[in-house]
Amino acid sequence: MSGIGPLEPGEGTHAWDAPGAAGPPRIPWAYGPLARAYRRHRRAVLTAATLILLLASGSYLYATRERPSPPAPSAPPYPSQVTDISYLDAVATPPRDAGPRSFSFAVLVGVRSGPPVTVTRVSQPYAGLSVTSEPRPPFRTKAGTAQKVVITMHIRECKKAPESAGLPFLDVTLRNARAIQVHSFILGPRYAQSLSEALRAACDNDSR
């Protein structure tokens, strides 16, 4: 044989796509109940693997996600923001604070919220007067409560005391877990009238 050309099929060779050909040989085990069970098992395994992969991916994303930082705890309020002092009325001077030119009145000290507030000092702006209180500072008031405090004014020098107190106030030093503050409390017209009357009475008697 000479020359180069397509090889002729050997003896016993059959083409599967030739007309009338029977097709590829059938493998008996590939089409029976065992094959169907295998295919069902394979699909189940692939489905389970896919679910495992999805769960693993979700777990990774959850573990590596950026978590928001917890909110910072809010600071307690300043003591002057939650403390109220209101005038009650003129009262008898406590015996240990009594003097020839002393007079007393009661106030109510209340704390609305937050940590307890401690009053560490009570004073007033007039040079001719000094102040004491009962209870003595420091005294503490808890949130949601109020206590009665007796304030006693001592007239040291009538010339330096006001003849008519227009808007008298008390300077009160307050302390809580947040800060220490000096706050001026204006106690209203009833307190101004009581203070003016007490000053006139004490200093008029002194002049006479």
Side-chain angles (χ1 to χ4, degrees):
M1 183 175 61
S2 63
I4 299 175
L7 297 177
E8 296 292 335
E11 188 174 344
T13 300
H14 302 278
W16 293 339
D17 56 351
R26 295 173 59 89
I27 304 174
W29 63 267
Y31 298 93
L34 183 62
R36 288 193 294 272
Y38 171 76
R39 285 193 292 271
R40 286 195 298 270
H41 175 71
R42 185 170 178 272
R43 283 195 297 269
V45 170
L46 290 175
T47 301
T50 302
L51 290 175
I52 292 172
L53 181 61
L54 290 174
L55 289 174
S57 300
S59 300
Y60 175 78
L61 292 174
Y62 178 81
T64 58
R65 81 190 193 284
E66 184 177 354
R67 292 180 174 85
S69 56
S74 58
Y78 286 98
S80 63
Q81 295 175 330
V82 295
T83 303
D84 296 317
I85 298 182
S86 55
Y87 177 72
L88 294 178
D89 209 344
V91 296
T93 300
R96 67 176 180 178
D97 288 334
R101 293 183 297 183
S102 300
F103 57 92
S104 301
F105 55 90
V107 298
L108 194 65
V109 179
V111 177
R112 294 189 301 274
S113 61
V117 174
T118 300
V119 173
T120 62
R121 186 171 182 266
V122 179
S123 62
Q124 51 77 47
Y126 303 115
L129 305 177
S130 64
V131 176
T132 57
S133 70
E134 181 63 40
R136 305 283 193 188
F139 56 87
R140 188 170 73 162
T141 306
K142 295 181 179 180
T145 65
Q147 64 174 314
K148 180 180 176 181
V149 179
V150 175
I151 304 293
T152 300
M153 295 283 188
H154 305 275
I155 303 174
R156 302 303 182 191
E157 190 175 348
C158 282
K159 292 181 180 179
K160 295 183 179 180
E163 292 183 2
S164 178
L167 286 175
F169 55 87
L170 290 178
D171 287 326
V172 183
T173 304
L174 306 170
R175 183 187 72 217
N176 70 355
R178 175 74 180 273
I180 298 176
Q181 292 180 297
V182 179
H183 191 74
S184 297
F185 291 91
I186 298 176
L187 303 183
R190 290 181 57 245
Y191 169 65
Q193 182 178 357
S194 296
L195 178 60
S196 297
E197 291 174 354
L199 288 171
R200 281 197 300 268
C203 290
D204 286 350
N205 290 337
D206 183 65
S207 63
R208 289 195 292 269

